[in-house]
Amino acid sequence: MFNFRIIDTADGNQIIDRNLKTPYNALTPSQMVEYTEMDNQLAYMDRLEKKAREEADRRCRVARNPFYRLACMCGLF
């Protein structure tokens, strides 16, 4: 079961709704290929978002570190 659904709009665009689930048996073979590719792309985007969020948290922790602040005041960073 895919944890999203691709919805076709009237103007020809497609919307990805992550609140809905799509069972495998409801898809045709061509739709299955499309959903598989989209699942891979969404997983990749999720990993990028997680990595960016972790980097922002790390930078925030470093900025609050008193030794880092002292080094910045001394002109080391």
Side-chain angles (χ1 to χ4, degrees):
M1 183 172 295
F2 291 106
N3 293 326
F4 63 93
R5 184 170 294 169
I6 299 174
I7 301 170
D8 294 323
T9 60
D11 59 357
N13 292 326
Q14 294 181 330
I15 299 173
I16 299 170
D17 189 359
R18 288 190 167 197
N19 296 325
L20 301 174
K21 297 183 186 281
T22 305
Y24 295 134
N25 59 0
L27 300 173
T28 63
S30 62
Q31 287 176 327
M32 181 65 94
V33 170
E34 183 179 0
Y35 270 76
T36 304
E37 290 176 4
M38 187 57 62
D39 191 38
N40 291 338
Q41 290 176 2
L42 289 173
Y44 179 72
M45 289 180 359
D46 289 343
R47 283 193 306 268
L48 287 178
E49 287 177 10
K50 181 181 176 185
K51 186 177 178 181
R53 195 170 43 251
E54 288 173 350
E55 178 64 21
D57 289 342
R58 187 192 68 77
R59 286 184 184 202
C60 186
R61 282 192 311 264
V62 167
R64 282 188 261 145
N65 186 340
F67 295 117
Y68 179 77
R69 287 184 177 184
L70 181 63
C72 288
M73 291 171 139
C74 294
L76 297 175
F77 289 103

